[in-house]
Amino acid sequence: MNQVDYLRISLIDRCNFRCQYCMPDGEELHYILKEQLLTNQELLKLIQGVFIPLGFTRFRLTGGEPLLRPGVVDLIKAIASFPETQDLSMTTNGFLLANMAQKLYDAGLRRINISLDSLDPNTFEQIIGNHGRGRWQQVWQGIQTAYRVGFDPLKLNVVVIPGVNDHEVLNLAALTINKSWHVRFIEFMPIGNWQLFGDRGWVSSTQLRQIIRDHWGLKASQVRGAGPADVFQIPHAKGTLGFISQMSECFCDRCNRMRLSADGWLRPCLLNETSQIDLKAALRAGISTTELQLQVKQVLAVKAEINFKQRDSGIVDTYTRTMSQIGG
Ligand code: SAM
């Protein structure tokens, strides 16, 4: 297995969108109470006192919607200031980005992934849960601002859902031709909305690549991501196309990450709900960071076993947490 040095940190489980593929239809989500969230101080203590000593150098802030987290700019400043931090990035829906991009950049954030599942405002509204008009425009403005401010690489995440946005694959891929934007197609996973998954199914990366290859041709990119994406390029394009194929492939051997939820649960694998540990409860019970390092080390030691052999253990029928709750 790869060395595990990358922590995805969920800052909050709430989101200002209700994306169809992420949230269960018509059900109330049970949000984490404010007092159950890791405070900024606790989070920084875990990063500095537990994860950095264990060799973690790369951090991604996600959620829910990370830009909804109060004090997110200060948090970025603090994480970026640790000398061991080699990479600090964020996954966001981009809705609040137009006003925040410069502040985030000045605080030390350099890489950003923005979810953009459609270029058609109506389809977009449908996917994000019809919160009203103008959301697509605001996200698009957020993307343009982030690009102007200098975020590099700027990645756009697309979950492809049959009959919803699969007809837009070429238009979305075309965004990489003239700008060094990186579009990443993510296979739809049965987490969050089983009903939609059952109704619609998913489109494989192989199918998507064929559609793109038939139109422009496609070559393997020289740019190699550190993560699970297979990276390709339309000939002569400035940006790249990434394909994240967790449904059609097992890339556990390339997995280099763990996930920390907003309420302090550390999970070794996105798809596994066993072997997670409650770091917040441990911190609040006064357990030292040295002892917590040992506990995290134990989780690291069983990660390979969990990835390859127990991917579905601990799951009865459905995953109990959505991506917005785990930290996508
Ligand atoms: N709110 C932020 C955003 O929209 O990017 C960050 C959190 S969101 C949960 C992170 C990523 O998870 C998004 O790119 C989203 O597309 C992806 N995601 C959520 N549910 C998914 C599912 N069922 N299958 C595949 N990807 C999913």
Side-chain angles (χ1 to χ4, degrees), residues 11 44 61 67 71-82 85 87-90 99-112 149 151:
L11 294 184
L44 293 172
L61 307 177
L67 294 181
V72 64
V73 173
D74 290 335
L75 206 45
I76 289 169
K77 230 182 252 170
I79 300 173
S81 74
F82 296 141
T85 301
D87 183 37
L88 179 58
S89 57
M90 175 181 278
N99 287 331
M100 294 183 74
Q102 186 69 56
K103 287 184 210 121
L104 298 170
Y105 192 86
D106 293 345
L109 192 72
R110 289 292 176 272
R111 300 204 302 116
I112 203 154
V149 162
F151 281 100

Short mmCIF file of all heavy atoms in Angstrom, two decimals, residues 11 44 61 67 71-82 85 87-90 99-112 149 151:
data_model
loop_
_atom_site.label_atom_id
_atom_site.label_comp_id
_atom_site.label_asym_id
_atom_site.label_seq_id
_atom_site.Cartn_x
_atom_site.Cartn_y
_atom_site.Cartn_z
N LEU A 11 -15.15 19.68 7.95
CA LEU A 11 -15.25 20.78 8.90
C LEU A 11 -16.65 20.94 9.46
O LEU A 11 -16.86 21.58 10.49
CB LEU A 11 -14.82 22.09 8.23
CG LEU A 11 -13.36 22.18 7.82
CD1 LEU A 11 -13.06 23.57 7.25
CD2 LEU A 11 -12.44 21.89 9.00
N LEU A 44 -6.87 21.59 15.53
CA LEU A 44 -5.45 21.95 15.35
C LEU A 44 -4.57 21.10 16.25
O LEU A 44 -3.48 20.68 15.87
CB LEU A 44 -5.25 23.45 15.63
CG LEU A 44 -5.92 24.37 14.60
CD1 LEU A 44 -5.86 25.83 15.02
CD2 LEU A 44 -5.29 24.20 13.21
N LEU A 61 -9.71 20.03 3.25
CA LEU A 61 -10.87 20.44 4.05
C LEU A 61 -12.12 20.21 3.22
O LEU A 61 -12.21 20.64 2.07
CB LEU A 61 -10.72 21.92 4.42
CG LEU A 61 -9.39 22.26 5.11
CD1 LEU A 61 -9.28 23.74 5.39
CD2 LEU A 61 -9.23 21.46 6.41
N LEU A 67 -17.15 25.87 3.47
CA LEU A 67 -17.18 27.33 3.56
C LEU A 67 -18.27 27.81 4.53
O LEU A 67 -18.33 28.99 4.85
CB LEU A 67 -17.36 27.96 2.17
CG LEU A 67 -16.18 27.73 1.22
CD1 LEU A 67 -16.41 28.41 -0.12
CD2 LEU A 67 -14.87 28.20 1.84
N GLY A 71 -15.12 30.67 10.95
CA GLY A 71 -13.67 30.74 11.22
C GLY A 71 -12.82 29.92 10.27
O GLY A 71 -11.66 29.63 10.57
N VAL A 72 -13.37 29.56 9.10
CA VAL A 72 -12.62 28.67 8.20
C VAL A 72 -11.32 29.32 7.71
O VAL A 72 -10.29 28.65 7.57
CB VAL A 72 -13.51 28.20 7.01
CG1 VAL A 72 -13.95 29.32 6.12
CG2 VAL A 72 -12.81 27.13 6.19
N VAL A 73 -11.34 30.65 7.52
CA VAL A 73 -10.12 31.31 7.02
C VAL A 73 -9.00 31.23 8.06
O VAL A 73 -7.84 30.91 7.75
CB VAL A 73 -10.44 32.79 6.64
CG1 VAL A 73 -9.16 33.55 6.28
CG2 VAL A 73 -11.41 32.82 5.47
N ASP A 74 -9.35 31.44 9.33
CA ASP A 74 -8.32 31.35 10.39
C ASP A 74 -7.78 29.94 10.51
O ASP A 74 -6.59 29.72 10.76
CB ASP A 74 -8.92 31.79 11.74
CG ASP A 74 -9.18 33.27 11.76
OD1 ASP A 74 -8.51 34.00 10.98
OD2 ASP A 74 -10.08 33.71 12.50
N LEU A 75 -8.68 28.98 10.34
CA LEU A 75 -8.26 27.58 10.42
C LEU A 75 -7.24 27.27 9.31
O LEU A 75 -6.23 26.61 9.54
CB LEU A 75 -9.52 26.72 10.26
CG LEU A 75 -9.56 25.33 10.86
CD1 LEU A 75 -9.03 25.29 12.27
CD2 LEU A 75 -11.01 24.84 10.84
N ILE A 76 -7.53 27.77 8.12
CA ILE A 76 -6.61 27.55 6.99
C ILE A 76 -5.26 28.19 7.29
O ILE A 76 -4.20 27.58 7.09
CB ILE A 76 -7.22 28.12 5.69
CG1 ILE A 76 -8.38 27.25 5.25
CG2 ILE A 76 -6.18 28.25 4.58
CD1 ILE A 76 -9.23 27.84 4.16
N LYS A 77 -5.32 29.42 7.81
CA LYS A 77 -4.07 30.11 8.14
C LYS A 77 -3.24 29.27 9.10
O LYS A 77 -2.04 29.09 8.92
CB LYS A 77 -4.44 31.45 8.81
CG LYS A 77 -3.73 32.64 8.20
CD LYS A 77 -4.10 33.91 8.92
CE LYS A 77 -5.00 34.75 8.05
NZ LYS A 77 -5.62 35.89 8.69
N ALA A 78 -3.91 28.73 10.12
CA ALA A 78 -3.18 27.96 11.14
C ALA A 78 -2.60 26.68 10.53
O ALA A 78 -1.42 26.36 10.76
CB ALA A 78 -4.12 27.64 12.30
N ILE A 79 -3.39 25.96 9.74
CA ILE A 79 -2.88 24.68 9.19
C ILE A 79 -1.75 24.97 8.20
O ILE A 79 -0.73 24.28 8.17
CB ILE A 79 -4.01 23.87 8.50
CG1 ILE A 79 -5.11 23.55 9.51
CG2 ILE A 79 -3.45 22.56 7.92
CD1 ILE A 79 -6.36 22.91 8.91
N ALA A 80 -1.92 26.04 7.39
CA ALA A 80 -0.89 26.37 6.39
C ALA A 80 0.41 26.78 7.07
O ALA A 80 1.49 26.64 6.49
CB ALA A 80 -1.39 27.48 5.47
N SER A 81 0.30 27.29 8.30
CA SER A 81 1.52 27.80 8.96
C SER A 81 2.36 26.68 9.58
O SER A 81 3.50 26.89 9.94
CB SER A 81 1.15 28.81 10.04
OG SER A 81 0.61 28.11 11.16
N PHE A 82 1.82 25.46 9.69
CA PHE A 82 2.65 24.38 10.22
C PHE A 82 3.74 24.07 9.20
O PHE A 82 3.44 23.83 8.02
CB PHE A 82 1.83 23.10 10.47
CG PHE A 82 0.77 23.25 11.52
CD1 PHE A 82 -0.48 22.64 11.37
CD2 PHE A 82 1.00 23.98 12.68
CE1 PHE A 82 -1.47 22.77 12.33
CE2 PHE A 82 0.02 24.11 13.65
CZ PHE A 82 -1.22 23.51 13.48
N THR A 85 3.21 21.09 6.86
CA THR A 85 2.12 21.04 5.87
C THR A 85 2.69 21.23 4.47
O THR A 85 3.21 22.29 4.14
CB THR A 85 1.07 22.15 6.15
OG1 THR A 85 0.56 21.96 7.48
CG2 THR A 85 -0.07 22.10 5.16
N ASP A 87 0.77 20.30 1.70
CA ASP A 87 -0.31 20.49 0.74
C ASP A 87 -1.61 20.72 1.52
O ASP A 87 -1.92 19.96 2.44
CB ASP A 87 -0.42 19.21 -0.10
CG ASP A 87 -1.47 19.34 -1.17
OD1 ASP A 87 -1.60 20.44 -1.74
OD2 ASP A 87 -2.19 18.35 -1.43
N LEU A 88 -2.30 21.79 1.16
CA LEU A 88 -3.56 22.10 1.83
C LEU A 88 -4.58 22.43 0.75
O LEU A 88 -4.37 23.32 -0.06
CB LEU A 88 -3.36 23.28 2.79
CG LEU A 88 -4.58 23.76 3.56
CD1 LEU A 88 -5.17 22.64 4.41
CD2 LEU A 88 -4.21 24.93 4.47
N SER A 89 -5.69 21.69 0.75
CA SER A 89 -6.66 21.88 -0.33
C SER A 89 -8.08 21.84 0.24
O SER A 89 -8.28 21.55 1.42
CB SER A 89 -6.48 20.77 -1.37
OG SER A 89 -6.62 19.51 -0.73
N MET A 90 -9.04 22.13 -0.62
CA MET A 90 -10.44 22.16 -0.17
C MET A 90 -11.35 21.62 -1.26
O MET A 90 -11.09 21.80 -2.46
CB MET A 90 -10.84 23.60 0.16
CG MET A 90 -12.30 23.75 0.53
SD MET A 90 -12.74 25.47 0.88
CE MET A 90 -12.21 25.62 2.57
N ASN A 99 -16.95 35.51 -3.04
CA ASN A 99 -16.54 36.49 -2.03
C ASN A 99 -15.39 36.01 -1.16
O ASN A 99 -14.80 36.80 -0.44
CB ASN A 99 -17.72 36.82 -1.10
CG ASN A 99 -18.73 37.68 -1.82
OD1 ASN A 99 -18.36 38.44 -2.71
ND2 ASN A 99 -20.00 37.53 -1.46
N MET A 100 -15.13 34.72 -1.18
CA MET A 100 -14.14 34.20 -0.23
C MET A 100 -12.82 33.77 -0.86
O MET A 100 -11.83 33.56 -0.16
CB MET A 100 -14.73 33.01 0.54
CG MET A 100 -15.89 33.41 1.44
SD MET A 100 -16.52 32.01 2.39
CE MET A 100 -15.25 31.79 3.62
N ALA A 101 -12.79 33.64 -2.19
CA ALA A 101 -11.62 33.03 -2.84
C ALA A 101 -10.32 33.75 -2.48
O ALA A 101 -9.32 33.11 -2.14
CB ALA A 101 -11.83 33.01 -4.36
N GLN A 102 -10.33 35.07 -2.55
CA GLN A 102 -9.09 35.81 -2.28
C GLN A 102 -8.64 35.60 -0.83
O GLN A 102 -7.46 35.37 -0.56
CB GLN A 102 -9.31 37.31 -2.56
CG GLN A 102 -8.06 38.14 -2.47
CD GLN A 102 -7.08 37.83 -3.61
OE1 GLN A 102 -7.42 37.93 -4.78
NE2 GLN A 102 -5.85 37.42 -3.26
N LYS A 103 -9.62 35.64 0.10
CA LYS A 103 -9.26 35.47 1.53
C LYS A 103 -8.69 34.07 1.77
O LYS A 103 -7.74 33.89 2.52
CB LYS A 103 -10.51 35.65 2.42
CG LYS A 103 -10.96 37.09 2.52
CD LYS A 103 -12.13 37.22 3.49
CE LYS A 103 -13.02 38.36 3.08
NZ LYS A 103 -14.39 38.05 2.79
N LEU A 104 -9.28 33.09 1.11
CA LEU A 104 -8.79 31.71 1.28
C LEU A 104 -7.37 31.58 0.74
O LEU A 104 -6.50 30.97 1.35
CB LEU A 104 -9.71 30.72 0.55
CG LEU A 104 -11.17 30.67 1.04
CD1 LEU A 104 -12.02 29.84 0.07
CD2 LEU A 104 -11.25 30.06 2.44
N TYR A 105 -7.15 32.21 -0.40
CA TYR A 105 -5.82 32.14 -1.03
C TYR A 105 -4.79 32.84 -0.13
O TYR A 105 -3.72 32.30 0.15
CB TYR A 105 -5.87 32.79 -2.41
CG TYR A 105 -4.65 32.52 -3.24
CD1 TYR A 105 -4.54 31.37 -4.00
CD2 TYR A 105 -3.58 33.42 -3.24
CE1 TYR A 105 -3.40 31.11 -4.76
CE2 TYR A 105 -2.44 33.17 -4.00
CZ TYR A 105 -2.36 32.02 -4.76
OH TYR A 105 -1.24 31.75 -5.50
N ASP A 106 -5.16 34.03 0.34
CA ASP A 106 -4.23 34.79 1.19
C ASP A 106 -3.93 34.03 2.49
O ASP A 106 -2.85 34.17 3.05
CB ASP A 106 -4.82 36.18 1.54
CG ASP A 106 -4.92 37.06 0.30
OD1 ASP A 106 -4.29 36.72 -0.73
OD2 ASP A 106 -5.65 38.07 0.35
N ALA A 107 -4.89 33.22 2.93
CA ALA A 107 -4.67 32.46 4.17
C ALA A 107 -3.74 31.26 3.94
O ALA A 107 -3.26 30.66 4.89
CB ALA A 107 -6.01 31.99 4.73
N GLY A 108 -3.52 30.90 2.67
CA GLY A 108 -2.57 29.82 2.40
C GLY A 108 -3.15 28.63 1.65
O GLY A 108 -2.45 27.66 1.40
N LEU A 109 -4.44 28.70 1.30
CA LEU A 109 -5.03 27.61 0.51
C LEU A 109 -4.55 27.77 -0.94
O LEU A 109 -4.56 28.88 -1.47
CB LEU A 109 -6.56 27.69 0.58
CG LEU A 109 -7.31 26.48 0.05
CD1 LEU A 109 -7.17 25.31 1.02
CD2 LEU A 109 -8.81 26.81 -0.10
N ARG A 110 -4.11 26.68 -1.57
CA ARG A 110 -3.60 26.80 -2.93
C ARG A 110 -4.35 25.93 -3.93
O ARG A 110 -4.28 26.14 -5.13
CB ARG A 110 -2.11 26.41 -2.97
CG ARG A 110 -1.21 27.44 -2.32
CD ARG A 110 -1.19 28.75 -3.14
NE ARG A 110 -0.41 29.80 -2.49
CZ ARG A 110 -0.90 30.66 -1.61
NH1 ARG A 110 -2.18 30.63 -1.27
NH2 ARG A 110 -0.13 31.58 -1.07
N ARG A 111 -5.00 24.88 -3.42
CA ARG A 111 -5.65 23.96 -4.36
C ARG A 111 -7.12 23.86 -3.99
O ARG A 111 -7.48 23.82 -2.82
CB ARG A 111 -5.02 22.57 -4.26
CG ARG A 111 -3.55 22.58 -4.59
CD ARG A 111 -3.04 21.25 -5.06
NE ARG A 111 -3.24 20.16 -4.13
CZ ARG A 111 -4.00 19.10 -4.36
NH1 ARG A 111 -4.67 18.98 -5.48
NH2 ARG A 111 -4.10 18.14 -3.46
N ILE A 112 -7.95 23.80 -5.01
CA ILE A 112 -9.38 23.76 -4.73
C ILE A 112 -10.09 22.84 -5.72
O ILE A 112 -9.72 22.79 -6.90
CB ILE A 112 -9.94 25.22 -4.76
CG1 ILE A 112 -11.21 25.32 -3.95
CG2 ILE A 112 -10.13 25.74 -6.15
CD1 ILE A 112 -11.47 26.70 -3.41
N VAL A 149 -7.91 34.39 -9.05
CA VAL A 149 -7.10 34.57 -7.85
C VAL A 149 -5.82 33.74 -7.92
O VAL A 149 -4.82 34.07 -7.30
CB VAL A 149 -7.97 34.19 -6.62
CG1 VAL A 149 -7.14 33.91 -5.39
CG2 VAL A 149 -8.99 35.28 -6.33
N PHE A 151 -5.80 29.94 -7.96
CA PHE A 151 -5.84 28.55 -7.48
C PHE A 151 -5.37 27.62 -8.59
O PHE A 151 -5.86 27.68 -9.72
CB PHE A 151 -7.25 28.15 -7.02
CG PHE A 151 -7.56 28.67 -5.66
CD1 PHE A 151 -8.30 29.82 -5.47
CD2 PHE A 151 -7.05 28.02 -4.53
CE1 PHE A 151 -8.55 30.32 -4.20
CE2 PHE A 151 -7.30 28.51 -3.27
CZ PHE A 151 -8.04 29.66 -3.10
#
